[in-house]
Amino acid sequence: MIERGEVANSWRRERWDSFRLLTPNWQSRLPGLRYEGPRPDGYMTTKEVTQFIERFAALCRAPVRTGTDVTSVRRTGDGYHVTTSRGELRCRAVVIASGACNRPAVPAFGDAVPPSVGQLTPFDYRAPDRLPDGGVLVVGASATGVQLAAELRASGRPVTLSVGEHVRLPRTYRGRDVLWWMDSSGVWDQRYDEVDDLARARRLPSPQLVGTPERRTLDLNALTSMGVELVGRWAAVRDGRALFSGGLRNVFSLADLKMERLLGTFDEWARTRGRDAEAGPPERFAPTRVPESARLQLDLRGGETRTIVWATGFRPDYGWLDVPVLDEKGRLRHDGGVVDSPGLYALGLPVLRRRRSTFISGIEADAREVIDHLARYLAGRR
C-alpha cells in the first residue's frame, strides 16, 4: 500500500475544525473493527476518525509506505510500472483507492471574481475566525455547503447560500437516525447494476445532513430561520456581478418530492416487515420555504461580500495515471471497480458496487468482491 502522507492523511489535513462524520458511530465499521464507545448514536470528529483508521491499520498489519507520492502508473507487457517519489515498482495488478474527492471542483468563472473578494474551498476553510470580516457567499447546498453556511452565520456574519440541485433529508425519522432507515431498509444495499441511471446516481450530491450531539436537522428551512439568504444556482460573473438562476421554487419542490418518496419507501418497508411498532408514527415535513424575492444578482465589488466559499463538490485527480482508462470528463471507466484495463481496479468511488460505497461501512463488501475478481485474474494468468 502506498500513501502520499500519513495513515488517514486526508482526515488529518483536509477537514475543517468542527467537521464530524455524517454517519452515526455505530455505522463506523471495518473488517474486524467497529465502534464500541459510549456514544453509538454520536458522530465522530476528525480526530476520532483518524484514530479509528489508525487502529484498523495496526489491526490488519498491512504494509503501508507512507510519505510516498505516486507520479506515474503505466501499462507494461506483464502488468504495470509504478513510479513513486521513493523509487520504482513493478506489479501484475494495481488497486486505485485514492478516492473521488482529491480536488475541489470550482467553476471556471471563478477566475472572473474581483480580486478584492477572497476565495476558499473546503480544503482551505478551517473556522469562521480565519476569514476576513464581512459577508460570505457559500456556493453549493449539499452537506458541506449547508454546514459551513450554518457555522458562518452562527458566528454573526451575513451569509448568502447559492442553491442548486440538492438532496434533502431529516436527521432523524420516526425516532431513529435517517441513516438507520437507509441501512435497515436495504436502500443502501442497492447494487450498481440495479440502478436505472447509474451515471446520475454517481453524480448525486451528498445529502443535507450534519452530525451534531443533539442530532438536529439542517435543511434550507433551518438555514432561513437562522437568517441565511438563499439565492439560485450561480450561473456566471458579468462586470463584477454574480448572476444567479431563477426557479428556486422548482428546485425546492423536486428535492421535497424526492425526500417524501424516500420516506414513503421507509414506511412501506416497516409496514411489510412488521417493524412499525419499533418506531414512532410516520412523519411528514413542511415544504422548503421559497424566498419572497430571491436576488438574481450580487455586486461583488460593493463590499457586501468579502469571501466566497466554493462548496461545489470534488473531482478525482488521475494526473499520475498514464493508462487510457478515463472518459471525456476525466472519470475512470470501470464496471463495479473493474477498470477498463486488465489487472487495474478501483475502490472508494460513488456507487462503486452499492449505494453505500463511499461510506466507511460500505467499503468491506465492495472490497471483497473486487479483490475476488483480482484473485481470479491473477490465478488465470498463472
Side-chain angles (χ1 to χ4, degrees):
M1 296 176 64
I2 299 175
E3 168 59 57
R4 60 191 169 97
E6 305 169 76
V7 171
N9 187 73
S10 61
W11 295 100
R12 298 174 189 271
R13 311 294 181 194
E14 298 171 0
R15 302 293 186 272
W16 59 93
D17 294 351
S18 65
F19 180 93
R20 287 179 180 266
L21 283 185
L22 301 183
T23 49
N25 291 338
W26 61 265
Q27 277 188 334
S28 294
R29 48 185 183 257
L30 291 168
L33 181 67
R34 62 179 58 237
Y35 179 85
E36 296 179 347
R39 298 178 293 105
D41 291 319
Y43 306 89
M44 287 189 186
T45 64
T46 302
K47 182 178 180 180
E48 290 170 331
V49 177
T50 300
Q51 293 171 340
F52 186 77
I53 295 174
E54 287 177 331
R55 288 198 299 274
F56 179 70
L59 177 69
C60 69
R61 298 181 181 179
V64 182
R65 298 189 184 186
T66 57
T68 304
D69 287 318
V70 173
T71 57
S72 173
V73 173
R74 57 185 176 83
R75 180 81 180 160
T76 63
D78 59 348
Y80 294 90
H81 185 97
V82 181
T83 303
T84 80
S85 58
R86 299 175 65 181
E88 312 285 319
L89 296 169
R90 293 184 179 274
C91 48
R92 289 183 291 166
V94 172
V95 178
I96 301 170
S98 54
C101 300
N102 309 121
R103 289 185 176 180
V106 177
F109 60 73
D111 293 339
V113 170
S116 59
V117 179
Q119 300 186 57
L120 298 173
T121 72
F123 282 2
D124 309 313
Y125 175 84
R126 289 295 176 268
D129 60 8
R130 304 283 189 92
L131 273 57
D133 293 338
V136 181
L137 171 59
V138 178
V139 188
S142 60
T144 298
V146 296
Q147 289 180 47
L148 298 188
E151 178 169 283
L152 289 161
R153 180 61 191 142
S155 74
R157 297 170 181 273
V159 176
T160 303
L161 178 64
S162 173
V163 181
E165 181 184 12
H166 58 278
V167 178
R168 182 187 180 192
L169 284 181
R171 178 72 270 182
T172 60
Y173 181 63
R174 298 177 65 176
R176 295 182 180 270
D177 194 290
V178 72
L179 298 187
W180 179 89
W181 290 94
M182 297 284 283
D183 189 78
S184 299
S185 68
V187 169
W188 258 3
D189 289 318
Q190 185 182 24
R191 294 180 56 86
Y192 75 107
D193 48 9
E194 300 170 342
V195 176
D196 290 335
D197 189 343
L198 181 59
R200 176 173 172 76
R202 286 174 169 166
R203 294 195 307 269
L204 279 178
S206 55
Q208 292 175 335
L209 293 174
V210 61
T212 58
E214 65 275 17
R215 300 203 297 175
R216 68 181 173 123
T217 291
L218 184 60
D219 57 13
L220 298 181
N221 284 343
L223 292 175
T224 297
S225 297
M226 293 177 65
V228 173
E229 179 185 2
L230 305 182
V231 296
R233 182 181 60 83
W234 192 349
V237 177
R238 185 177 304 154
D239 299 327
R241 293 178 174 271
L243 306 183
F244 306 111
S245 62
L248 274 182
R249 184 179 301 277
N250 292 336
V251 173
F252 292 174
S253 295
L254 182 59
D256 292 349
L257 175 63
K258 290 182 177 179
M259 180 184 70
E260 294 295 330
R261 286 177 176 172
L262 181 61
L263 300 183
T265 298
F266 297 157
D267 294 338
E268 177 66 13
W269 170 82
R271 186 185 64 79
T272 58
R273 298 299 179 92
R275 306 290 293 270
D276 263 334
E278 297 180 26
E283 300 176 70
R284 289 300 176 263
F285 299 87
T288 304
R289 297 195 298 273
V290 181
E292 291 185 5
S293 57
R295 282 196 278 184
L296 296 178
Q297 59 180 277
L298 176 62
D299 188 357
L300 299 174
R301 300 164 300 184
E304 177 184 353
T305 298
R306 295 291 307 282
T307 305
I308 296 168
V309 179
W310 296 101
T312 40
F314 302 89
R315 64 177 185 270
D317 178 11
Y318 298 121
W320 45 269
L321 185 57
D322 299 319
V323 185
V325 291
L326 303 182
D327 65 18
E328 67 280 0
K329 295 188 177 180
R331 295 185 291 253
L332 275 178
R333 296 195 307 270
H334 70 93
D335 180 14
V338 181
V339 181
D340 193 16
S341 179
L344 194 59
Y345 298 86
L347 284 170
L349 299 178
V351 199
L352 185 92
R353 285 193 166 244
R354 293 164 182 80
R355 286 194 179 272
R356 69 165 76 233
S357 290
T358 47
F359 293 88
I360 291 177
S361 65
I363 189 64
E364 180 175 1
D366 279 6
R368 290 188 186 281
E369 294 181 15
V370 168
I371 299 309
D372 181 62
H373 190 288
L374 188 156
R376 293 198 306 271
Y377 167 75
L378 294 180
R381 294 197 58 186
R382 287 198 296 270

